Every structure is written in C-alpha cells, then in structure tokens.
Amino acid sequence: HLAESGGGSVQPGGSLKLSCAVSAYRLTSCGVGWFRHPLHTPRRGREGTLVATLTLDGTTTYSSSAKGRFTISHQVPNPSDPYYWTFYLQMDNLQTQDTANYYCTADVCGGAPSYWGQGIQVTVSS
C-alpha cells in the first residue's frame, strides 16, 4: 500500500527526489512521513529516525538535520486514479551522513507510523 521510488547514489552536495505512492485508505489526519535507518545497521522491527512529516492540511515538520535541505510535498491525485496519492522528499545538498534506507510511512500519529513502505536506499559518497 506504500511504494517508494527514486533512491540511488549521489556525490556529496548532490540532490535526489524520493517518491511514495500511498493508498488513500492509509491516509489519516496524522499524515504521512519519511523516516530513515542507517545502512548496514541491524533494524529492529519498524525502526527508523524521523526525517519529515506532512499532514493533510499542509503542515510540515522536519528533523534538525533535514531542515533547510529537504522538502516534503505531495501531488494532487490524478482524477483517473483518485485512490492513490503521491508524496515526495526532495533532498538537496546531500551529505555522507544522509546515507540510509529511507521509508515512506502513513498514519504518523505521535511520531509512530502505522504503515511502512519497504524502504529505498540512498547512498551519498565521493
């Protein structure tokens, strides 16, 4: 019900844009968000560090490391397919410490999402 795309490898200072298609049935007032978990580090269940969130009224929040460099946004559903929404994470001025698996999530109440995507890898290296 959540599917990420757009990951890959980039040099420091570069940009990537992640996309996530989410079923409208997963959308709640708690909104959607992006979380991340370091590569090559064991992940215990649905573990991740908050990167950014977006509620349906347009309110955004960012981690201190993401603020000023990352932008979360969404796209109005295609009228021909209103049951899926797409939201994005534009990441600029990427640094090596941004290297991680990134997860799109939904129903992010209290910072604990109910729904998670499979994750997508972002690698920043020179």
Side-chain angles (χ1 to χ4, degrees):
H1 296 283
L2 292 97
E4 302 100 337
S5 62
S9 297
V10 65
Q11 293 185 337
S15 299
L16 282 174
K17 187 173 185 178
L18 305 182
S19 301
C20 179
V22 57
S23 167
Y25 297 105
R26 295 287 182 256
L27 295 178
T28 69
S29 61
C30 292
V32 296
W34 290 94
F35 285 66
R36 69 186 184 187
H37 188 75
L39 300 183
H40 313 304
T41 301
R43 182 170 178 245
R44 295 169 292 182
R46 294 177 169 181
E47 183 180 8
T49 302
L50 185 147
V51 176
T53 64
L54 170 66
T55 59
L56 296 183
D57 66 0
T59 302
T60 58
T61 63
Y62 295 93
S63 67
S64 56
S65 62
K67 193 173 295 184
R69 299 187 300 129
F70 294 2
T71 303
I72 188 171
S73 63
H74 80 283
Q75 177 176 306
V76 176
N78 188 324
S80 65
D81 189 7
Y83 300 107
Y84 274 88
W85 286 61
T86 302
F87 66 104
Y88 306 96
L89 184 69
Q90 175 67 45
M91 303 185 292
D92 298 317
N93 191 22
L94 283 160
Q95 304 299 316
T96 56
Q97 56 265 37
D98 296 316
T99 295
N101 282 315
Y102 284 72
Y103 299 87
C104 68
T105 67
D107 192 25
V108 189
C109 292
S114 299
Y115 307 105
W116 292 73
Q118 292 298 308
I120 193 163
Q121 185 171 316
V122 171
T123 303
V124 185
S125 67
S126 55

